[in-house]
Amino acid sequence: MATKREQILDAAIDVLGTRGPRALTHRAADDAAGVPSGSASNYFRTREALLIGIAERLEERDRADWETLNHLLGPATIEHLVEGLARFVLHATGPDRARTLARFALFGEAQTMPALHESLQRGHHRIRDWAIEMAARVGIAPGDTTILVDYLDGVVAHRLGGAGTDTDPRAAIGRLVGALTVS
């Protein structure tokens, strides 16, 4: 069961992803979480603290989702990697659309909030390092994993904007992974 802090952050993520940055307030997070007024500000005194909390919670949830998916797929093979990445793209732009839109909103907010920018960078580096470790199991070099991660970010952004939503991403991801594993 989620803690009260996690409930507030999950609700704040939903507000940010469905209604946008202007709608995100401590009160909106409280209302969305169904907690007493003032609860969000007890955990996160400033808007910047709330946004940093959201960034950290997104990273936690992403990692948990990916670990669950990896467990379902089985041992590390190129086919499992491609399938996992395709499922990630489809989930991030489908059922998890609000969470993904919240993440993109954080990038815009971080341009004027150095502490949020630093938090997002730390999270990006942890996720990238984890992806490098995972991709190495199927023979993809660290620099090439960065190419793959950047490609996936682009695919997700385009699909959120409506481009390519009628196509299955597996074939393109498979071609890219295949090209990156050729030595």
Side-chain angles (χ1 to χ4, degrees):
M1 181 166 176
T3 66
K4 189 174 189 179
R5 181 181 186 280
E6 291 169 338
Q7 288 175 312
I8 291 167
L9 288 172
D10 290 342
I13 289 167
D14 190 59
V15 170
L16 183 60
T18 59
R19 296 173 33 206
R22 288 185 177 182
L24 180 65
T25 62
H26 287 85
R27 179 171 291 169
D30 288 339
D31 291 345
V35 297
S37 183
S39 296
S41 67
N42 284 334
Y43 287 99
F44 310 99
R45 298 302 298 160
T46 65
R47 177 178 173 77
E48 186 173 36
L50 179 59
L51 291 168
I52 290 169
I54 289 171
E56 292 168 355
R57 180 68 175 150
L58 284 168
E59 182 185 346
E60 288 171 17
R61 290 179 61 188
D62 288 345
R63 179 124 185 164
D65 286 352
W66 186 254
E67 286 177 0
T68 299
L69 181 59
N70 270 342
H71 179 71
L72 293 174
L73 291 173
T77 65
I78 291 173
E79 293 77 20
H80 287 146
L81 178 63
V82 170
E83 180 62 23
L85 295 175
R87 285 186 184 189
F88 163 76
V89 167
L90 294 171
H91 186 73
T93 59
D96 216 13
R97 181 181 181 85
R99 194 164 99 190
T100 306
L101 288 168
R103 180 177 299 101
F104 280 110
L106 287 176
F107 297 145
E109 294 292 304
Q111 300 312 303
T112 58
M113 296 181 186
L116 176 59
H117 185 267
E118 289 173 24
S119 178
L120 287 171
Q121 288 300 307
R122 280 191 307 272
H124 173 74
H125 290 296
R126 282 191 294 267
I127 295 291
R128 186 203 60 214
D129 292 346
W130 180 61
I132 287 170
E133 191 179 301
M134 181 182 58
R137 294 183 206 145
V138 296
I140 299 176
D144 291 341
T145 300
T146 301
I147 294 168
L148 181 58
V149 169
D150 290 347
Y151 172 76
L152 293 172
D153 284 343
V155 168
V156 167
H158 285 281
R159 289 179 73 93
L160 287 173
T165 56
D166 58 341
T167 60
D168 188 322
R170 284 170 181 82
I173 293 170
R175 285 193 304 276
L176 180 57
V177 168
L180 296 174
T181 56
V182 174
S183 298

